[in-house]
């Protein structure tokens, strides 16, 4: 399952993911697309709607984001294993890394307060 809607610019994140998988040899008919979600929680909820409860998923994301992503997918009823995208992370400049780490800390804090 590739998740993610259109961000600032098309195509949808899920479509980019599907293209990568197809280029790696995954048959297109084996790839499920979810194109509506705009947040990690929505990614998890929409993926869970496409899969049987308890399905095994691999979450690929930047390392700073994996804890929250795994939590959201497991709360949606899926068994989630996180895999860090170090290439993407290492491509960020220091200022970008600090921004994303700070943003993630705020989102984790928000979730702890609201839950």
């Amino acid at each position: 399952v590739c998740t993610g809607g259109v961000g600032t610019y098309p195509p949808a994140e899920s479509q980019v993911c599907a293209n990568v998988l197809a280029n790696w040899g995954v048959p297109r008919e084996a790839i499920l697309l979810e194109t509506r979600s705009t947040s990690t929680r929505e990614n998890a909820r929409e993926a869970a709607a496409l899969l049987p409860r308890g399905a095994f998923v691999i979450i690929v994301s930047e390392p700073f984001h994996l804890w929250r992503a795994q939590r959201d997918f497991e709360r949606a009823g899926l068994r989630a294993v996180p895999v860090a995208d170090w290439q993407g992370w290492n491509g960020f400049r220091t200022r970008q890394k600090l921004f994303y780490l700070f943003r993630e800390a705020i989102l984790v804090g928000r979730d702890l307060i609201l839950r």
Side-chain angles (χ1 to χ4, degrees):
V1 176
C2 292
T3 65
V6 177
T8 305
Y9 304 102
E13 286 183 7
S14 56
Q15 188 59 58
V16 173
C17 169
N19 292 342
V20 169
L21 293 176
N23 287 337
W24 288 347
V26 176
R28 287 272 180 188
E29 60 273 9
I31 302 170
L32 299 175
L33 285 180
E34 177 285 302
T35 61
R36 296 185 306 207
S37 62
T38 60
S39 70
T40 304
R41 191 172 295 150
E42 288 176 4
N43 292 151
R45 188 172 42 238
E46 297 293 334
L50 296 172
L51 297 167
R53 184 153 184 82
F56 174 82
V57 296
I58 298 170
I59 302 168
V60 180
S61 189
E62 286 81 11
F64 65 85
H65 183 242
L66 287 173
W67 178 84
R68 192 165 56 90
Q70 182 178 13
R71 183 205 58 198
D72 287 348
F73 275 76
E74 289 177 349
R75 284 181 176 171
L78 300 169
R79 294 181 1 212
V81 173
V83 175
D85 172 16
W86 288 105
Q87 183 177 0
W89 175 250
N90 291 334
F92 290 140
R93 294 181 176 166
T94 301
R95 184 177 288 165
Q96 290 171 300
K97 289 179 180 180
L98 291 172
F99 169 80
Y100 286 119
L101 287 169
F102 182 70
R103 179 182 179 274
E104 192 70 14
I106 289 172
L107 293 172
V108 168
R110 174 205 66 188
D111 292 353
L112 292 173
I113 291 169
L114 295 178
R115 294 243 169 186

